[in-house]
PDB file of all heavy atoms in Angstrom:
ATOM      1  N   LYS A  29      97.090  86.304  87.473  1.00  0.00           N
ATOM      2  CA  LYS A  29      95.875  86.405  86.658  1.00  0.00           C
ATOM      3  C   LYS A  29      95.105  85.089  86.674  1.00  0.00           C
ATOM      4  O   LYS A  29      95.677  84.015  86.521  1.00  0.00           O
ATOM      5  CB  LYS A  29      96.238  86.774  85.225  1.00  0.00           C
ATOM      6  CG  LYS A  29      96.487  88.248  84.999  1.00  0.00           C
ATOM      7  CD  LYS A  29      96.818  88.526  83.538  1.00  0.00           C
ATOM      8  CE  LYS A  29      97.129  89.997  83.326  1.00  0.00           C
ATOM      9  NZ  LYS A  29      97.555  90.281  81.930  1.00  0.00           N
ATOM     10  N   GLY A  30      93.796  85.216  86.865  1.00  0.00           N
ATOM     11  CA  GLY A  30      92.957  84.038  86.893  1.00  0.00           C
ATOM     12  C   GLY A  30      92.856  83.393  88.269  1.00  0.00           C
ATOM     13  O   GLY A  30      92.009  82.536  88.489  1.00  0.00           O
ATOM     14  N   ARG A  31      93.730  83.805  89.186  1.00  0.00           N
ATOM     15  CA  ARG A  31      93.708  83.249  90.549  1.00  0.00           C
ATOM     16  C   ARG A  31      93.358  84.310  91.597  1.00  0.00           C
ATOM     17  O   ARG A  31      92.688  84.002  92.581  1.00  0.00           O
ATOM     18  CB  ARG A  31      95.076  82.649  90.896  1.00  0.00           C
ATOM     19  CG  ARG A  31      95.501  81.519  89.983  1.00  0.00           C
ATOM     20  CD  ARG A  31      96.752  80.828  90.510  1.00  0.00           C
ATOM     21  NE  ARG A  31      97.897  81.720  90.592  1.00  0.00           N
ATOM     22  CZ  ARG A  31      98.568  81.963  91.718  1.00  0.00           C
ATOM     23  NH1 ARG A  31      98.219  81.385  92.858  1.00  0.00           N
ATOM     24  NH2 ARG A  31      99.614  82.779  91.700  1.00  0.00           N
ATOM     25  N   PHE A  32      93.822  85.524  91.392  1.00  0.00           N
ATOM     26  CA  PHE A  32      93.587  86.613  92.339  1.00  0.00           C
ATOM     27  C   PHE A  32      92.585  87.592  91.745  1.00  0.00           C
ATOM     28  O   PHE A  32      92.569  87.828  90.530  1.00  0.00           O
ATOM     29  CB  PHE A  32      94.876  87.361  92.639  1.00  0.00           C
ATOM     30  CG  PHE A  32      95.907  86.601  93.436  1.00  0.00           C
ATOM     31  CD1 PHE A  32      95.787  85.237  93.669  1.00  0.00           C
ATOM     32  CD2 PHE A  32      97.010  87.257  93.949  1.00  0.00           C
ATOM     33  CE1 PHE A  32      96.744  84.543  94.391  1.00  0.00           C
ATOM     34  CE2 PHE A  32      97.972  86.583  94.679  1.00  0.00           C
ATOM     35  CZ  PHE A  32      97.833  85.219  94.888  1.00  0.00           C
ATOM     36  N   THR A  33      91.778  88.177  92.618  1.00  0.00           N
ATOM     37  CA  THR A  33      90.820  89.190  92.190  1.00  0.00           C
ATOM     38  C   THR A  33      90.896  90.376  93.139  1.00  0.00           C
ATOM     39  O   THR A  33      90.785  90.208  94.362  1.00  0.00           O
ATOM     40  CB  THR A  33      89.389  88.640  92.188  1.00  0.00           C
ATOM     41  OG1 THR A  33      89.314  87.500  91.308  1.00  0.00           O
ATOM     42  CG2 THR A  33      88.406  89.692  91.710  1.00  0.00           C
ATOM     43  N   ILE A  34      91.056  91.565  92.561  1.00  0.00           N
ATOM     44  CA  ILE A  34      91.064  92.775  93.364  1.00  0.00           C
ATOM     45  C   ILE A  34      89.698  93.439  93.241  1.00  0.00           C
ATOM     46  O   ILE A  34      89.091  93.459  92.160  1.00  0.00           O
ATOM     47  CB  ILE A  34      92.202  93.737  92.941  1.00  0.00           C
ATOM     48  CG1 ILE A  34      92.347  94.877  93.943  1.00  0.00           C
ATOM     49  CG2 ILE A  34      91.999  94.261  91.528  1.00  0.00           C
ATOM     50  CD1 ILE A  34      93.619  95.708  93.745  1.00  0.00           C
ATOM     51  N   SER A  35      89.206  93.941  94.351  1.00  0.00           N
ATOM     52  CA  SER A  35      87.930  94.645  94.354  1.00  0.00           C
ATOM     53  C   SER A  35      88.007  95.728  95.413  1.00  0.00           C
ATOM     54  O   SER A  35      88.914  95.733  96.250  1.00  0.00           O
ATOM     55  CB  SER A  35      86.768  93.690  94.625  1.00  0.00           C
ATOM     56  OG  SER A  35      86.905  93.086  95.901  1.00  0.00           O
ATOM     57  N   GLY A  36      87.029  96.618  95.375  1.00  0.00           N
ATOM     58  CA  GLY A  36      87.114  97.689  96.354  1.00  0.00           C
ATOM     59  C   GLY A  36      85.817  98.422  96.567  1.00  0.00           C
ATOM     60  O   GLY A  36      84.891  98.345  95.750  1.00  0.00           O
ATOM     61  N   ASP A  37      85.770  99.081  97.691  1.00  0.00           N
ATOM     62  CA  ASP A  37      84.698 100.020  97.998  1.00  0.00           C
ATOM     63  C   ASP A  37      85.364 101.400  97.962  1.00  0.00           C
ATOM     64  O   ASP A  37      85.946 101.845  98.942  1.00  0.00           O
ATOM     65  CB  ASP A  37      84.107  99.718  99.368  1.00  0.00           C
ATOM     66  CG  ASP A  37      82.926 100.623  99.697  1.00  0.00           C
ATOM     67  OD1 ASP A  37      82.806 101.710  99.089  1.00  0.00           O
ATOM     68  OD2 ASP A  37      82.135 100.257 100.562  1.00  0.00           O
ATOM     69  N   ASN A  38      85.266 102.041  96.821  1.00  0.00           N
ATOM     70  CA  ASN A  38      86.041 103.266  96.632  1.00  0.00           C
ATOM     71  C   ASN A  38      85.587 104.383  97.557  1.00  0.00           C
ATOM     72  O   ASN A  38      86.395 105.210  97.979  1.00  0.00           O
ATOM     73  CB  ASN A  38      85.964 103.695  95.173  1.00  0.00           C
ATOM     74  CG  ASN A  38      86.519 102.646  94.248  1.00  0.00           C
ATOM     75  OD1 ASN A  38      85.803 101.786  93.755  1.00  0.00           O
ATOM     76  ND2 ASN A  38      87.819 102.681  94.022  1.00  0.00           N
ATOM     77  N   ALA A  39      84.317 104.415  97.892  1.00  0.00           N
ATOM     78  CA  ALA A  39      83.818 105.455  98.788  1.00  0.00           C
ATOM     79  C   ALA A  39      84.443 105.336 100.176  1.00  0.00           C
ATOM     80  O   ALA A  39      84.573 106.331 100.893  1.00  0.00           O
ATOM     81  CB  ALA A  39      82.302 105.386  98.887  1.00  0.00           C
ATOM     82  N   LYS A  40      84.837 104.130 100.533  1.00  0.00           N
ATOM     83  CA  LYS A  40      85.436 103.891 101.842  1.00  0.00           C
ATOM     84  C   LYS A  40      86.946 103.706 101.753  1.00  0.00           C
ATOM     85  O   LYS A  40      87.585 103.394 102.765  1.00  0.00           O
ATOM     86  CB  LYS A  40      84.806 102.653 102.482  1.00  0.00           C
ATOM     87  CG  LYS A  40      83.315 102.793 102.757  1.00  0.00           C
ATOM     88  CD  LYS A  40      82.761 101.524 103.410  1.00  0.00           C
ATOM     89  CE  LYS A  40      81.269 101.660 103.683  1.00  0.00           C
ATOM     90  NZ  LYS A  40      80.712 100.430 104.302  1.00  0.00           N
ATOM     91  N   ASN A  41      87.498 103.867 100.567  1.00  0.00           N
ATOM     92  CA  ASN A  41      88.941 103.667 100.374  1.00  0.00           C
ATOM     93  C   ASN A  41      89.400 102.323 100.928  1.00  0.00           C
ATOM     94  O   ASN A  41      90.417 102.216 101.617  1.00  0.00           O
ATOM     95  CB  ASN A  41      89.742 104.815 100.983  1.00  0.00           C
ATOM     96  CG  ASN A  41      89.613 106.092 100.184  1.00  0.00           C
ATOM     97  OD1 ASN A  41      89.623 106.077  98.954  1.00  0.00           O
ATOM     98  ND2 ASN A  41      89.466 107.205 100.878  1.00  0.00           N
ATOM     99  N   THR A  42      88.614 101.320 100.613  1.00  0.00           N
ATOM    100  CA  THR A  42      88.900  99.957 101.056  1.00  0.00           C
ATOM    101  C   THR A  42      89.108  99.079  99.835  1.00  0.00           C
ATOM    102  O   THR A  42      88.360  99.187  98.864  1.00  0.00           O
ATOM    103  CB  THR A  42      87.741  99.422 101.905  1.00  0.00           C
ATOM    104  OG1 THR A  42      87.567 100.271 103.043  1.00  0.00           O
ATOM    105  CG2 THR A  42      88.033  98.006 102.381  1.00  0.00           C
ATOM    106  N   VAL A  43      90.085  98.213  99.898  1.00  0.00           N
ATOM    107  CA  VAL A  43      90.365  97.312  98.792  1.00  0.00           C
ATOM    108  C   VAL A  43      90.577  95.907  99.330  1.00  0.00           C
ATOM    109  O   VAL A  43      91.050  95.728 100.456  1.00  0.00           O
ATOM    110  CB  VAL A  43      91.602  97.786  97.986  1.00  0.00           C
ATOM    111  CG1 VAL A  43      92.867  97.715  98.818  1.00  0.00           C
ATOM    112  CG2 VAL A  43      91.748  96.994  96.704  1.00  0.00           C
ATOM    113  N   TYR A  44      90.189  94.937  98.529  1.00  0.00           N
ATOM    114  CA  TYR A  44      90.307  93.534  98.904  1.00  0.00           C
ATOM    115  C   TYR A  44      91.113  92.787  97.838  1.00  0.00           C
ATOM    116  O   TYR A  44      91.092  93.142  96.663  1.00  0.00           O
ATOM    117  CB  TYR A  44      88.930  92.887  99.035  1.00  0.00           C
ATOM    118  CG  TYR A  44      87.998  93.648  99.944  1.00  0.00           C
ATOM    119  CD1 TYR A  44      87.048  94.518  99.415  1.00  0.00           C
ATOM    120  CD2 TYR A  44      88.070  93.511 101.319  1.00  0.00           C
ATOM    121  CE1 TYR A  44      86.205  95.238 100.234  1.00  0.00           C
ATOM    122  CE2 TYR A  44      87.226  94.225 102.156  1.00  0.00           C
ATOM    123  CZ  TYR A  44      86.291  95.083 101.604  1.00  0.00           C
ATOM    124  OH  TYR A  44      85.456  95.796 102.422  1.00  0.00           O
ATOM    125  N   LEU A  45      91.782  91.763  98.276  1.00  0.00           N
ATOM    126  CA  LEU A  45      92.483  90.883  97.346  1.00  0.00           C
ATOM    127  C   LEU A  45      92.075  89.453  97.673  1.00  0.00           C
ATOM    128  O   LEU A  45      92.485  88.899  98.698  1.00  0.00           O
ATOM    129  CB  LEU A  45      93.994  91.034  97.454  1.00  0.00           C
ATOM    130  CG  LEU A  45      94.802  90.257  96.415  1.00  0.00           C
ATOM    131  CD1 LEU A  45      94.565  90.831  95.017  1.00  0.00           C
ATOM    132  CD2 LEU A  45      96.289  90.269  96.750  1.00  0.00           C
ATOM    133  N   GLN A  46      91.232  88.887  96.824  1.00  0.00           N
ATOM    134  CA  GLN A  46      90.824  87.504  96.983  1.00  0.00           C
ATOM    135  C   GLN A  46      91.836  86.626  96.268  1.00  0.00           C
ATOM    136  O   GLN A  46      92.051  86.771  95.061  1.00  0.00           O
ATOM    137  CB  GLN A  46      89.433  87.284  96.385  1.00  0.00           C
ATOM    138  CG  GLN A  46      88.936  85.853  96.462  1.00  0.00           C
ATOM    139  CD  GLN A  46      88.707  85.381  97.879  1.00  0.00           C
ATOM    140  OE1 GLN A  46      88.147  86.120  98.694  1.00  0.00           O
ATOM    141  NE2 GLN A  46      89.138  84.171  98.182  1.00  0.00           N
ATOM    142  N   MET A  47      92.456  85.739  97.016  1.00  0.00           N
ATOM    143  CA  MET A  47      93.519  84.901  96.467  1.00  0.00           C
ATOM    144  C   MET A  47      93.064  83.445  96.511  1.00  0.00           C
ATOM    145  O   MET A  47      92.833  82.888  97.584  1.00  0.00           O
ATOM    146  CB  MET A  47      94.800  85.087  97.285  1.00  0.00           C
ATOM    147  CG  MET A  47      95.260  86.524  97.393  1.00  0.00           C
ATOM    148  SD  MET A  47      96.851  86.724  98.211  1.00  0.00           S
ATOM    149  CE  MET A  47      96.434  86.185  99.855  1.00  0.00           C
ATOM    150  N   ASN A  48      92.910  82.858  95.342  1.00  0.00           N
ATOM    151  CA  ASN A  48      92.495  81.464  95.217  1.00  0.00           C
ATOM    152  C   ASN A  48      93.603  80.640  94.592  1.00  0.00           C
ATOM    153  O   ASN A  48      94.548  81.175  94.011  1.00  0.00           O
ATOM    154  CB  ASN A  48      91.233  81.374  94.360  1.00  0.00           C
ATOM    155  CG  ASN A  48      90.054  82.107  94.951  1.00  0.00           C
ATOM    156  OD1 ASN A  48      89.913  82.222  96.172  1.00  0.00           O
ATOM    157  ND2 ASN A  48      89.191  82.628  94.088  1.00  0.00           N
ATOM    158  N   SER A  49      93.485  79.353  94.720  1.00  0.00           N
ATOM    159  CA  SER A  49      94.466  78.426  94.136  1.00  0.00           C
ATOM    160  C   SER A  49      95.885  78.832  94.492  1.00  0.00           C
ATOM    161  O   SER A  49      96.778  78.903  93.632  1.00  0.00           O
ATOM    162  CB  SER A  49      94.292  78.377  92.609  1.00  0.00           C
ATOM    163  OG  SER A  49      92.986  77.985  92.260  1.00  0.00           O
ATOM    164  N   LEU A  50      96.095  79.089  95.751  1.00  0.00           N
ATOM    165  CA  LEU A  50      97.394  79.575  96.199  1.00  0.00           C
ATOM    166  C   LEU A  50      98.485  78.538  96.002  1.00  0.00           C
ATOM    167  O   LEU A  50      98.251  77.329  96.124  1.00  0.00           O
ATOM    168  CB  LEU A  50      97.306  80.004  97.670  1.00  0.00           C
ATOM    169  CG  LEU A  50      96.630  81.360  97.882  1.00  0.00           C
ATOM    170  CD1 LEU A  50      96.158  81.520  99.313  1.00  0.00           C
ATOM    171  CD2 LEU A  50      97.583  82.487  97.501  1.00  0.00           C
ATOM    172  N   LYS A  51      99.663  79.064  95.684  1.00  0.00           N
ATOM    173  CA  LYS A  51     100.831  78.224  95.444  1.00  0.00           C
ATOM    174  C   LYS A  51     101.919  78.599  96.450  1.00  0.00           C
ATOM    175  O   LYS A  51     101.908  79.709  96.998  1.00  0.00           O
ATOM    176  CB  LYS A  51     101.357  78.442  94.025  1.00  0.00           C
ATOM    177  CG  LYS A  51     100.326  78.249  92.927  1.00  0.00           C
ATOM    178  CD  LYS A  51     100.909  78.619  91.579  1.00  0.00           C
ATOM    179  CE  LYS A  51      99.885  78.476  90.467  1.00  0.00           C
ATOM    180  NZ  LYS A  51     100.448  78.856  89.143  1.00  0.00           N
ATOM    181  N   SER A  52     102.881  77.734  96.607  1.00  0.00           N
ATOM    182  CA  SER A  52     103.964  78.023  97.547  1.00  0.00           C
ATOM    183  C   SER A  52     104.724  79.288  97.136  1.00  0.00           C
ATOM    184  O   SER A  52     105.199  80.037  97.996  1.00  0.00           O
ATOM    185  CB  SER A  52     104.908  76.832  97.644  1.00  0.00           C
ATOM    186  OG  SER A  52     105.434  76.503  96.371  1.00  0.00           O
ATOM    187  N   GLU A  53     104.796  79.536  95.846  1.00  0.00           N
ATOM    188  CA  GLU A  53     105.507  80.729  95.381  1.00  0.00           C
ATOM    189  C   GLU A  53     104.764  82.033  95.653  1.00  0.00           C
ATOM    190  O   GLU A  53     105.286  83.112  95.397  1.00  0.00           O
ATOM    191  CB  GLU A  53     105.843  80.629  93.888  1.00  0.00           C
ATOM    192  CG  GLU A  53     104.668  80.274  93.003  1.00  0.00           C
ATOM    193  CD  GLU A  53     104.643  78.788  92.669  1.00  0.00           C
ATOM    194  OE1 GLU A  53     104.828  77.955  93.591  1.00  0.00           O
ATOM    195  OE2 GLU A  53     104.404  78.467  91.489  1.00  0.00           O
ATOM    196  N   ASP A  54     103.541  81.928  96.157  1.00  0.00           N
ATOM    197  CA  ASP A  54     102.799  83.129  96.568  1.00  0.00           C
ATOM    198  C   ASP A  54     103.191  83.562  97.980  1.00  0.00           C
ATOM    199  O   ASP A  54     102.757  84.622  98.443  1.00  0.00           O
ATOM    200  CB  ASP A  54     101.290  82.872  96.528  1.00  0.00           C
ATOM    201  CG  ASP A  54     100.779  82.647  95.123  1.00  0.00           C
ATOM    202  OD1 ASP A  54     101.203  83.376  94.202  1.00  0.00           O
ATOM    203  OD2 ASP A  54      99.938  81.730  94.941  1.00  0.00           O
ATOM    204  N   THR A  55     103.982  82.761  98.651  1.00  0.00           N
ATOM    205  CA  THR A  55     104.422  83.107 100.001  1.00  0.00           C
ATOM    206  C   THR A  55     105.245  84.384  99.986  1.00  0.00           C
ATOM    207  O   THR A  55     106.225  84.502  99.242  1.00  0.00           O
ATOM    208  CB  THR A  55     105.258  81.960 100.601  1.00  0.00           C
ATOM    209  OG1 THR A  55     104.430  80.811 100.763  1.00  0.00           O
ATOM    210  CG2 THR A  55     105.843  82.365 101.945  1.00  0.00           C
ATOM    211  N   ALA A  56     104.818  85.352 100.786  1.00  0.00           N
ATOM    212  CA  ALA A  56     105.475  86.654 100.816  1.00  0.00           C
ATOM    213  C   ALA A  56     104.789  87.533 101.854  1.00  0.00           C
ATOM    214  O   ALA A  56     103.720  87.183 102.371  1.00  0.00           O
ATOM    215  CB  ALA A  56     105.402  87.324  99.446  1.00  0.00           C
ATOM    216  N   VAL A  57     105.396  88.671 102.108  1.00  0.00           N
ATOM    217  CA  VAL A  57     104.703  89.738 102.831  1.00  0.00           C
ATOM    218  C   VAL A  57     103.972  90.567 101.787  1.00  0.00           C
ATOM    219  O   VAL A  57     104.573  91.005 100.800  1.00  0.00           O
ATOM    220  CB  VAL A  57     105.682  90.611 103.625  1.00  0.00           C
ATOM    221  CG1 VAL A  57     104.923  91.745 104.308  1.00  0.00           C
ATOM    222  CG2 VAL A  57     106.431  89.767 104.660  1.00  0.00           C
ATOM    223  N   TYR A  58     102.694  90.738 102.005  1.00  0.00           N
ATOM    224  CA  TYR A  58     101.858  91.492 101.081  1.00  0.00           C
ATOM    225  C   TYR A  58     101.640  92.901 101.621  1.00  0.00           C
ATOM    226  O   TYR A  58     101.223  93.078 102.775  1.00  0.00           O
ATOM    227  CB  TYR A  58     100.524  90.780 100.872  1.00  0.00           C
ATOM    228  CG  TYR A  58     100.648  89.603  99.944  1.00  0.00           C
ATOM    229  CD1 TYR A  58     101.323  88.448 100.346  1.00  0.00           C
ATOM    230  CD2 TYR A  58     100.127  89.623  98.653  1.00  0.00           C
ATOM    231  CE1 TYR A  58     101.474  87.365  99.493  1.00  0.00           C
ATOM    232  CE2 TYR A  58     100.263  88.553  97.794  1.00  0.00           C
ATOM    233  CZ  TYR A  58     100.946  87.428  98.217  1.00  0.00           C
ATOM    234  OH  TYR A  58     101.086  86.349  97.363  1.00  0.00           O
ATOM    235  N   TYR A  59     101.902  93.873 100.773  1.00  0.00           N
ATOM    236  CA  TYR A  59     101.777  95.269 101.142  1.00  0.00           C
ATOM    237  C   TYR A  59     100.663  95.933 100.329  1.00  0.00           C
ATOM    238  O   TYR A  59     100.545  95.704  99.125  1.00  0.00           O
ATOM    239  CB  TYR A  59     103.069  96.024 100.863  1.00  0.00           C
ATOM    240  CG  TYR A  59     104.241  95.563 101.683  1.00  0.00           C
ATOM    241  CD1 TYR A  59     105.084  94.564 101.213  1.00  0.00           C
ATOM    242  CD2 TYR A  59     104.511  96.133 102.919  1.00  0.00           C
ATOM    243  CE1 TYR A  59     106.176  94.140 101.959  1.00  0.00           C
ATOM    244  CE2 TYR A  59     105.596  95.715 103.676  1.00  0.00           C
ATOM    245  CZ  TYR A  59     106.412  94.717 103.186  1.00  0.00           C
ATOM    246  OH  TYR A  59     107.494  94.302 103.936  1.00  0.00           O
ATOM    247  N   CYS A  60      99.911  96.759 101.008  1.00  0.00           N
ATOM    248  CA  CYS A  60      98.905  97.586 100.354  1.00  0.00           C
ATOM    249  C   CYS A  60      99.474  98.997 100.211  1.00  0.00           C
ATOM    250  O   CYS A  60     100.158  99.489 101.113  1.00  0.00           O
ATOM    251  CB  CYS A  60      97.629  97.609 101.186  1.00  0.00           C
ATOM    252  SG  CYS A  60      96.291  98.586 100.476  1.00  0.00           S
ATOM    253  N   ALA A  61      99.177  99.620  99.078  1.00  0.00           N
ATOM    254  CA  ALA A  61      99.666 100.967  98.822  1.00  0.00           C
ATOM    255  C   ALA A  61      98.549 101.816  98.242  1.00  0.00           C
ATOM    256  O   ALA A  61      97.649 101.284  97.575  1.00  0.00           O
ATOM    257  CB  ALA A  61     100.850 100.918  97.854  1.00  0.00           C
ATOM    258  N   ALA A  62      98.641 103.112  98.460  1.00  0.00           N
ATOM    259  CA  ALA A  62      97.599 104.022  97.995  1.00  0.00           C
ATOM    260  C   ALA A  62      98.215 105.281  97.414  1.00  0.00           C
ATOM    261  O   ALA A  62      99.293 105.718  97.828  1.00  0.00           O
ATOM    262  CB  ALA A  62      96.653 104.385  99.147  1.00  0.00           C
TER     263      ALA A  62
END
């Protein structure tokens, strides 16, 4: 919270994840689900 922002174009079933102020603990494989 406060660092990541989710947004989307629902008509296109597209979603974005803007990740700011990244930390080492954010290291991971990121999966999208629907």
Side-chain angles (χ1 to χ4, degrees):
K29 279 181 183 176
R31 299 189 299 122
F32 291 11
T33 301
I34 190 169
S35 61
D37 183 339
N38 300 92
K40 297 181 180 179
N41 288 319
T42 300
V43 66
Y44 307 99
L45 186 67
Q46 178 66 43
M47 305 186 294
N48 298 329
S49 302
L50 283 161
K51 306 174 182 179
S52 58
E53 51 262 46
D54 294 318
T55 295
V57 177
Y58 283 70
Y59 296 91
C60 181

